[in-house]
Amino acid sequence: MIKFHTTNPYSCSYLPGKSACSEVVTPEYSIDIPAYAKLIQAGFRRSGHYIYRPRCEHCQACLSVRVQAKSFVPKRFQRRAWNQHQHLQVTAHPLHYNPAHYALYQRYQTKRHAGGGMDKDCREQYHNFLLQSHVDSMLIEFRDNQQLRMVSIIDLLPDGFSSVYTFFDVEIAHASFGTYSILWQIEQCRNLGMDYLYLGYWIQDNRKMRYKINFQPLEVLLDGRWQLLDSRIFT
């Protein structure tokens, strides 16, 4: 039986001024793919070997969401992003360290998440965060004429993909790499006959997490049940 523990309170990285707690799978338990799939379906996420979900006593802001891949209908701006980046060469690899990936990650964190702590990640922290996994994971490279533009880390599940993390070149004007990465993952789910792309947590009051509501139909885990998230209400 999987065992869990709840962390001590720590500063919330999503909502300034709030504290947070996480429910964590105990490290000594070996998680296989079926067990991991059930955890993802129950609202857990993976960060390296660390599998967790928010367990905050007075806050329910972090909501697990997943895209219904087979029913997904792109919006106009998403169709533009898809067409704009069709020239990218995409290759899948096992998790591995590449100095070019780490350099891109550092530039991305410095530009997009300055002051958030991850902009100071050393090579070991980067490795522990993205390159350690006990489950079926892939590293996806997106290149433009051999120039590295984006990297996505994806976990493969029986019913779809779990999108772990994506970082990209933030210095290319008018690019929509982040949107394209999600669209590409949805398309791969559809090609493989899979039902869902799990996108982690949607937080209405966090600007950087709010974008996920644009990928419809989107389901949210509420009271232990997956149900449609109505974008007309949560905007």
Side-chain angles (χ1 to χ4, degrees), residues 61-91:
C62 296
L63 300 176
S64 295
V65 291
R66 65 186 186 186
V67 183
Q68 291 184 355
K70 294 177 181 177
S71 303
F72 173 71
V73 178
K75 301 177 185 294
R76 181 179 298 178
F77 81 92
Q78 292 166 339
R79 292 196 298 269
R80 286 199 301 267
W82 178 259
N83 293 330
Q84 178 185 3
H85 297 297
Q86 284 298 294
H87 64 287
L88 294 177
Q89 300 91 44
V90 185
T91 54

Side-chain angles (χ1 to χ4, degrees), residues 109-221:
Q109 295 296 345
T110 298
K111 291 287 186 179
R112 283 297 179 94
H113 302 292
M118 294 171 68
D119 54 330
K120 304 298 183 183
D121 279 3
C122 65
R123 175 175 168 177
E124 181 180 4
Q125 290 169 310
Y126 165 79
H127 182 273
N128 292 341
F129 174 35
L130 294 179
L131 304 183
Q132 293 191 85
S133 173
H134 286 319
V135 297
D136 193 358
S137 304
M138 294 190 303
L139 183 152
I140 313 298
E141 284 188 349
F142 298 80
R143 292 181 178 269
D144 180 359
N145 194 25
Q146 301 305 312
Q147 180 66 42
L148 182 67
R149 296 301 186 200
M150 181 164 60
V151 173
S152 291
I153 308 297
I154 301 169
D155 289 343
L156 281 66
L157 305 170
D159 64 346
F161 290 167
S162 177
S163 186
V164 176
Y165 201 74
T166 293
F167 54 95
F168 50 83
D169 191 337
V170 296
E171 298 176 352
I172 304 299
H174 309 300
S176 300
F177 291 129
T179 296
Y180 181 70
S181 170
I182 295 176
L183 294 174
W184 184 88
Q185 292 175 51
I186 292 172
E187 184 67 12
Q188 299 312 302
C189 288
R190 291 162 66 104
N191 290 341
L192 294 170
M194 294 178 167
D195 294 319
Y196 302 110
L197 174 63
Y198 291 84
L199 286 180
Y201 302 116
W202 174 76
I203 304 171
Q204 185 177 9
D205 293 331
N206 182 292
R207 178 181 56 83
K208 293 181 180 179
M209 304 291 280
R210 203 180 302 153
Y211 70 92
K212 299 176 185 182
I213 203 169
N214 290 319
F215 297 87
Q216 295 285 339
L218 189 71
E219 295 184 6
V220 59
L221 185 62

Side-chain angles (χ1 to χ4, degrees), residues 11-23:
S11 179
C12 180
S13 59
Y14 298 125
L15 298 174
K18 289 184 175 291
S19 61
C21 292
S22 293
E23 183 180 15

